[in-house]
Amino acid sequence: MSERLQPGDVAPAFTLPDADGKDVSLSDYQGRKVIVYFYPAALTPGCTKQACDFTDNLDVLAAAGYDVIGISPDKPDKLAKFREKENLKVTLLADPEKTATEAYAAYGEKKNYGKTYMGVIRSTVIVDEEGKVERALYNVRATGHVAKIIKDLGI
């Protein structure tokens, strides 16, 4: 399990397929700020709320120079269904092998109803124009998270 990222760390590189199966790399965003968020599963209530919140605030974030990428262990075809059903505008990437998820320390031990298990830890990493971590937020809540990011970034 990777150490949690800290401000100033180089954001781990990744290349993953999007909902259409087209490869997307973090390096494609060089020179732009990127909000990379990790969520457990497409088409679930919390993850839908979070993805819709990012979509609803995409214009505000884009105007401030931020792109948004959501990463989950889902396969591209499930991401495509998620995007269509919820009319999502954020870039959704598939990480079924959890390579990026683990590199960003967004996979680990979770507790739910007294049970401990391994899973995706809802996390958001904000990457600056040079590919360095500006902020790394772990164990975030799906509801209200996007509003908090906007407030914290002073947008």
Side-chain angles (χ1 to χ4, degrees):
M1 203 159 45
S2 300
E3 292 264 330
R4 289 191 167 180
L5 297 172
Q6 301 295 323
D9 288 352
V10 173
F14 59 77
T15 300
L16 297 168
D18 67 8
D20 300 314
K22 188 175 128 279
D23 279 350
V24 174
S25 301
L26 180 61
S27 59
D28 298 342
Y29 293 87
Q30 189 70 32
R32 300 230 355 123
K33 293 180 182 186
V34 189
I35 296 170
V36 182
Y37 78 97
F38 294 87
Y39 62 99
L43 300 166
T44 59
C47 298
T48 298
K49 171 86 179 108
Q50 189 177 22
C52 289
D53 277 356
F54 271 118
T55 293
D56 293 346
N57 289 286
L58 205 55
D59 290 344
V60 171
L61 292 165
Y66 291 91
D67 290 314
V68 179
I69 298 172
I71 299 177
S72 74
D74 300 303
K75 299 236 182 320
D77 58 336
K78 187 173 179 188
L79 296 179
K81 281 186 196 126
F82 187 33
R83 181 185 62 198
E84 304 315 315
K85 182 176 186 278
E86 301 300 337
N87 201 18
L88 300 173
K89 303 285 182 243
V90 296
T91 300
L92 299 175
L93 301 183
D95 187 17
E97 306 296 315
K98 300 180 196 71
T99 50
T101 306
E102 288 180 357
Y104 279 76
Y107 186 81
E109 204 172 85
K110 296 174 71 167
K111 280 186 171 57
N112 198 15
Y113 301 113
K115 287 196 160 74
T116 302
Y117 62 98
M118 296 299 283
V120 175
I121 298 163
R122 194 180 302 278
S123 309
T124 301
V125 177
I126 300 170
V127 180
D128 70 15
E129 300 91 338
E130 282 137 38
K132 288 207 164 67
V133 175
E134 191 176 300
R135 291 166 194 247
L137 311 162
Y138 293 95
N139 293 310
V140 301
R141 299 246 173 261
T143 304
H145 179 59
V146 176
K148 184 178 178 347
I149 288 173
I150 289 170
K151 182 176 177 267
D152 289 353
L153 293 174
I155 299 172

